[in-house]
């Protein structure tokens, strides 16, 4: 029974993702497909970030570094090394995971604001490094020869295919965050979030658990980066490492409910929806970042645990049904 | 030597200029309850922290089940079978009572998988009388219940050595009586216990042996009778002979 209840949470989450995927197929509009792509990307990034932010309690302000690095590594392999998209996706994920693993030892011992600051520093450091790294095109970045798309049946097919891969990565991120949340490893992460010293006394091997969480939260963003820039056709330091995207991911996780499987999906969907509305509106068009700041403030003040957390508090029984 | 579960040899701990522990030495045979008493600030909790790997000692050596654990991390000691409660309780607030206790089982001596850990946790919650609260969030418990939760989490680890830091503080007399029974029942399970306590009649009642700390120094060691009659203890620790008299009366 409780097994079924728990897997209900996963099924429900995947259904929400499926709805977003089906919507453009139903309307048959390319613009809807692009919007859905953006929402799916937001969900994949938010669900991944949630493993670190929501489960482990470590606020990463520079999480976009994994997206950017994966993007660069993937793009380089496709455009310079003539590798396939599949190789690029794997390499992008691996590069992001490797970076997280290496960084883990250096910055995960930092707690609270120090860790958050270090993550910003790392994003800026990687950006500065790539700015000066000639094989990756330095400050100019790299362009894709669109002939490459021919191998995949032409641009139209590429847009179709990347949409489906994005859907797959989003589902993978959601499944991963569910598996982590309901595992013994995940319970150890929650203990770290609640009280790291107590967790250590209980026997959680905190340095290792934190490193695994960090790596797991980095891999899918790396793959998404590789996919995104393949579709985008060019990459440069400014669009690979936008710090404000990190902050938007945090807002999404917190809006939906940090530490819950459903939260990031809901948060990303709502945030992107709202953002879409604001972008159309000429008054708000230029201040959408300020708006996300205000949303964040509102969350922190009024629903610090996000929508799902608020529901959990209201209806404790939901805690098991929607983990 | 085999039945010595813990050997503390010449352990000192200095914080800046403060000597919190000075040359503490004792052996703890398996299966006993050892009481650890002393005035506020005597270094009792610090001794737990040093035994438990939270702080490295400034000098000295600690052996647990014959192995040198002086520089082991606290989670390694948990895996080896040491568990503790905290004087200032550390409930994992936003987790359920059950999850708190499952963590003990998952990451303790037996490294249990989740389904087993849940079984163990429910048994232990039954044992400490928190079974009906299993699904509540830990933060919703009152102080007495939080103390029991600390204890349950430690017990779920199925430890060989259990360090209890003032589990009676803040409890009312009937809760104290209940907790004392629980501690005795834990010993029945073959778990060795070191217990810090200020509630004198209770600690005298459960301890097989006691150690008295004062300003980080071990000023006495012995059976409850020996301790209450030790003039040095009465002088240095109890200070007030009145209290000493009361203690002895409570003993009888
Ligand atoms: N982390 C620390 N840093 C500096 N000083 C400390 C630290 N921990 C404890 N102390 C000091 O060491 C001394 C012993 O403290 P400890 O907490 O061990 O006493 P205690 O015997 O447990 O007292 P109580 O009965 O009040 O709990 C105190 O003077 C305390 O201020
Ligand atoms: Mg103390």
């Amino acid at each position: 029974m409780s097994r079924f209840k728990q897997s209900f949470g996963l099924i429900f989450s995947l259904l929400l993702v499926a709805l977003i995927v089906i919507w453009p197929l139903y309307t048959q509009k390319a613009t809807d497909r692009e919007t859905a792509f953006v929402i799916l990307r937001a969900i994949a990034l938010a669900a991944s970030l949630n493993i670190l932010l929501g489960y482990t309690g470590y606020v990463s302000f520079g999480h976009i570094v994994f997206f950017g690095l994966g993007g660069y590594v993937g793009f380089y392999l496709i455009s310079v090394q003539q590798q396939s998209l599949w190789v690029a996706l794997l390499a992008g994920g691996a590069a992001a995971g490797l970076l997280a693993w290496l960084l883990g030892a250096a910055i995960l011992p930092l707690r609270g604001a120090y860790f958050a600051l270090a993550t910003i520093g790392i994003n800026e450091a990687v950006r500065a490094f790539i700015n000066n790294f000639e094989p990756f095109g330095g400050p100019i970045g790299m362009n894709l020869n669109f002939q490459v798309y021919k191998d995949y049946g032409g641009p139209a097919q590429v847009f179709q295919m990347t949409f489906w891969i994005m859907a797959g990565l989003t589902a993978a991120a959601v499944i991963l965050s569910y598996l982590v949340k309901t595992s013994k490893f995940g319970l150890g992460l929650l203990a770290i979030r609640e009280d790291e010293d107590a967790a250590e006394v209980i026997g959680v091997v905190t340095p290792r658990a934190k490193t695994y969480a960090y790596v797991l939260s980095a891999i899918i963003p790396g793959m998404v980066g590789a996919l995104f820039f393949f579709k985008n056709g060019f990459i440069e330091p400014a669009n690979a490492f936008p710090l404000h995207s990190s902050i938007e991911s945090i807002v999404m996780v917190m809006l939906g409910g940090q530490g819950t499987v459903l939260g990031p999906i809901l948060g990303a969907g709502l945030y992107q929806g709202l953002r879409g509305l604001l972008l159309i509106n000429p008054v708000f068009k230029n201040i959408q970042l300020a708006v996300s700041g205000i949303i964040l403030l509102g969350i922190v003040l009024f629903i610090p645990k996000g929508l799902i957390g608020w529901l959990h508090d209201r209806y404790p029984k939901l805690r098991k049904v929607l983990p | 030597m085999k039945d010595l579960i813990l050997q503390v040899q010449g352990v000192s701990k200095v914080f800046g200029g403060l000597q919190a522990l000075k040359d503490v030495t004792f052996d703890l045979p398996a299966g006993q309850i050892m009481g650890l008493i002393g005035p506020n600030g005597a270094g009792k909790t610090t001794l737990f922290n040093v035994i438990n790997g939270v702080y490295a000692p400034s000098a000295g050596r600690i052996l647990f089940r014959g192995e040198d654990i002086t520089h082991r991390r606290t989670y390694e000691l948990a895996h080896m079978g040491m568990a503790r409660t905290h004087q200032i309780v550390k409930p994992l607030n936003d987790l359920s009572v059950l999850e708190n206790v499952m963590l003990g089982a998952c990451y303790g001596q037996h490294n249990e998988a989740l389904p087993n850990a849940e079984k163990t946790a429910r048994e232990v919650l039954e044992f400490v009388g928190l079974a009906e609260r299993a699904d509540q969030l830990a933060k919703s418990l009152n102080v007495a219940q939080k103390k029991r939760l600390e204890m349950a989490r430690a017990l779920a680890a199925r430890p060989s050595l259990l360090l209890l830091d003032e589990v009676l503080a803040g409890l009312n007399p009937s809760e104290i009586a209940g907790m004392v029974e629980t501690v005795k029942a834990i010993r029945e399970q073959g778990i060795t216990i070191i217990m810090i306590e200020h509630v004198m009649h209770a600690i005298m009642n459960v301890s097989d042996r006691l150690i008295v700390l004062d300003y980080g120094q071990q000023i006495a060691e012995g059976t409850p009778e020996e301790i209450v009659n030790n003039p040095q203890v009465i002088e240095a620790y109890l200070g007030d002979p009145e209290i000493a008299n009361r203690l002895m009366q409570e003993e009888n």
Side-chain angles (χ1 to χ4, degrees), chain B residues 10-13 19-25 213 215-218:
Chain B
V11 163
S12 297
K13 179 69 195 174
Q19 181 105 35
L21 291 173
K22 197 172 173 197
D23 198 21
V24 175
T25 300
L213 284 184
Y215 292 110
Q217 297 209 39
Q218 193 179 338

Side-chain angles (χ1 to χ4, degrees), chain A residues 2-3 182-191 193-195 197-207 305 313 319-320, chain B residues 52 54 73-75 78-79 84 86 90 92-95 99 102-104 106-108 111-115 135 137 139 153:
Chain A
S2 86
R3 294 273 134 206
T182 52
S183 69
K184 172 172 163 176
F185 163 64
L187 190 57
L189 296 183
L190 298 179
R193 179 190 73 192
E194 294 299 310
D195 185 334
D197 295 324
E200 209 165 294
V201 167
I202 291 167
V204 180
V205 185
T206 51
K305 290 183 191 165
D313 283 353
R319 204 176 294 279
K320 277 201 177 135
Chain B
N52 193 219
V54 174
R73 297 287 296 258
T74 172
Y75 49 75
H79 304 162
R84 76 178 285 184
H86 297 93
K90 293 188 177 211
L92 306 171
N93 278 322
D94 272 321
L95 301 186
E99 286 169 327
M102 280 171 70
L103 271 158
C106 279
Y107 290 96
N111 196 21
E112 291 179 29
L114 278 182
D135 291 327
L137 289 187
K139 66 180 170 196
R153 200 166 64 193

Side-chain angles (χ1 to χ4, degrees), chain B residues 9-242:
Chain B
Q9 302 174 341
V11 163
S12 297
K13 179 69 195 174
V14 183
F15 291 118
L18 179 88
Q19 181 105 35
L21 291 173
K22 197 172 173 197
D23 198 21
V24 175
T25 300
F26 64 89
D27 287 341
L28 178 61
Q32 283 199 353
I33 296 182
M34 171 177 272
L36 181 55
I37 61 174
N40 291 117
K44 304 180 295 296
T45 299
T46 302
L47 181 58
F48 269 18
N49 282 334
V50 169
I51 292 173
N52 193 219
V54 174
Y55 304 139
S58 312
R61 210 162 77 111
I62 300 167
L63 286 84
F64 179 48
R65 307 167 104 177
E67 244 183 88
D68 190 331
I69 57 152
T70 315
H71 295 289
R72 291 285 171 87
R73 297 287 296 258
T74 172
Y75 49 75
E76 295 177 88
L77 300 177
H79 304 162
M80 287 174 71
M82 196 188 292
R84 76 178 285 184
T85 69
H86 297 93
Q87 178 173 0
I88 297 164
V89 288
K90 293 188 177 211
L92 306 171
N93 278 322
D94 272 321
L95 301 186
S96 70
V97 167
L98 182 69
E99 286 169 327
N100 266 270
V101 181
M102 280 171 70
L103 271 158
C106 279
Y107 290 96
Q109 181 154 224
H110 295 292
N111 196 21
E112 291 179 29
L114 278 182
N116 264 332
E118 178 168 348
K119 230 187 283 166
T120 305
R122 290 200 187 276
E123 276 171 34
V124 173
L125 283 172
E126 193 72 49
F127 176 74
V128 303
L130 279 179
E132 311 87 74
R133 315 239 166 234
D135 291 327
Q136 272 176 236
L137 289 187
K139 66 180 170 196
S140 69
L141 299 179
N142 65 30
V143 178
Q145 291 163 342
K146 281 180 180 163
K147 296 245 165 183
R148 288 191 169 267
L149 175 63
E150 281 273 317
M151 188 112 123
R153 200 166 64 193
L155 283 175
R158 301 288 182 221
S160 310
L161 174 63
L162 178 60
L163 309 176
L164 298 177
D165 197 345
E166 298 200 22
V167 286
L168 304 181
L171 304 192
N172 66 37
S174 78
E175 288 166 343
I176 288 180
M179 196 64 123
V180 165
E181 287 318 304
T182 305
V183 170
K184 285 180 171 168
I186 294 170
R187 190 211 357 224
E188 294 307 309
Q189 301 176 357
I191 297 173
T192 312
I193 297 172
I194 308 182
M195 189 170 175
I196 297 176
E197 202 48 67
H198 284 296
V199 182
M200 281 305 154
H201 67 90
I203 191 85
M204 293 297 169
N205 178 314
V206 298
S207 301
D208 297 298
R209 273 195 321 146
L210 288 125
I211 283 183
V212 187
L213 284 184
D214 188 25
Y215 292 110
Q217 297 209 39
Q218 193 179 338
I219 58 166
E221 178 178 355
T223 63
E225 289 76 32
E226 288 164 358
I227 295 299
V228 287
N229 293 316
N230 184 317
Q232 214 187 336
V233 175
I234 297 169
E235 278 290 315
Y237 168 54
L238 301 168
D240 184 354
E242 276 296 302

Side-chain angles (χ1 to χ4, degrees), chain A residues 2-323:
Chain A
S2 86
R3 294 273 134 206
F4 167 74
K5 270 195 192 165
Q6 283 209 333
S7 35
F8 173 79
L10 176 63
I11 293 164
F12 188 70
S13 302
L14 288 175
L15 275 178
L16 279 183
V17 173
L19 270 180
I20 299 166
V21 176
I22 289 166
W23 162 55
L25 300 178
Y26 178 76
T27 64
Q28 289 289 340
K29 278 198 248 166
T31 50
D32 287 346
R33 190 186 59 206
E34 291 316 299
T35 309
F37 185 95
V38 170
I39 296 173
L40 290 172
R41 184 182 78 145
I43 293 173
L45 295 183
S48 298
L49 176 64
N50 189 36
I51 295 176
L52 189 69
L53 170 68
Y55 299 169
T56 321
Y58 275 70
V59 183
S60 170
F61 268 107
H63 221 62
I64 204 70
V65 73
F66 300 116
F67 170 82
L69 181 72
Y72 259 104
V73 168
F75 204 98
Y76 174 78
L77 286 173
I78 293 171
S79 69
V80 180
Q81 301 291 334
Q82 277 85 44
Q83 295 291 329
S84 73
L85 173 62
W86 313 110
V87 172
L89 285 173
L90 291 178
L98 187 67
L99 178 66
W101 188 68
L102 293 174
L103 286 178
I107 66 170
L108 280 171
L110 303 173
R111 293 201 186 171
Y114 297 101
F115 176 81
L117 280 176
T119 61
I120 297 179
I122 280 155
N123 189 50
E124 297 309 300
V126 171
R127 184 218 302 261
F129 171 77
I130 286 184
N131 231 327
N132 294 296
F133 190 59
E134 281 312 319
F136 283 0
I140 299 153
M142 292 180 282
N143 277 296
L144 197 64
N145 181 347
F146 282 102
Q147 291 302 322
V148 170
Y149 286 173
K150 286 230 171 86
D151 298 345
Y152 302 88
Q157 271 70 18
V158 164
F159 287 147
Q160 274 299 336
M161 181 183 67
T162 47
F163 178 72
W164 283 109
I165 299 173
M166 189 63 247
L169 288 176
T170 306
V174 170
I175 293 169
L176 179 68
S177 74
Y178 170 82
L179 289 178
V180 170
K181 173 89 194 235
T182 52
S183 69
K184 172 172 163 176
F185 163 64
L187 190 57
L189 296 183
L190 298 179
I192 292 174
R193 179 190 73 192
E194 294 299 310
D195 185 334
E196 189 163 342
D197 295 324
E200 209 165 294
V201 167
I202 291 167
V204 180
V205 185
T206 51
R208 194 170 70 198
K210 287 190 294 182
T211 302
Y212 288 176
Y214 200 30
V215 170
L216 286 178
S217 76
I219 290 174
I220 289 180
M223 297 175 81
V224 172
L227 179 71
F228 178 85
F229 288 104
F230 167 71
K231 173 175 182 265
N232 198 43
F234 76 97
I235 189 168
E236 61 186 10
N239 67 0
F241 304 101
L243 204 55
H244 68 86
S245 290
S246 290
I247 293 162
E248 287 182 318
S249 289
I250 294 175
V251 174
M252 293 174 204
V253 172
M254 296 198 43
L255 176 63
Q258 77 239 57
T260 66
V261 176
L262 194 53
I265 303 172
L266 214 60
L270 283 175
Y271 183 86
Q272 287 300 346
L274 187 68
R275 211 188 115 167
L277 290 179
L278 294 181
L279 277 178
I280 307 172
N281 186 319
V283 181
F284 288 113
K285 202 171 171 216
N286 296 320
I287 55 162
Q288 41 141 331
L289 259 185
V291 171
S292 69
I294 291 166
I295 296 176
L296 187 56
L297 196 64
I299 300 165
V300 172
L301 288 176
F302 301 111
I303 43 164
K305 290 183 191 165
L307 293 170
I308 299 294
W310 180 79
L311 278 177
H312 281 175
D313 283 353
R314 241 35 251 271
Y315 310 102
K317 291 222 159 65
L318 272 184
R319 204 176 294 279
K320 277 201 177 135
V321 186
L322 301 174

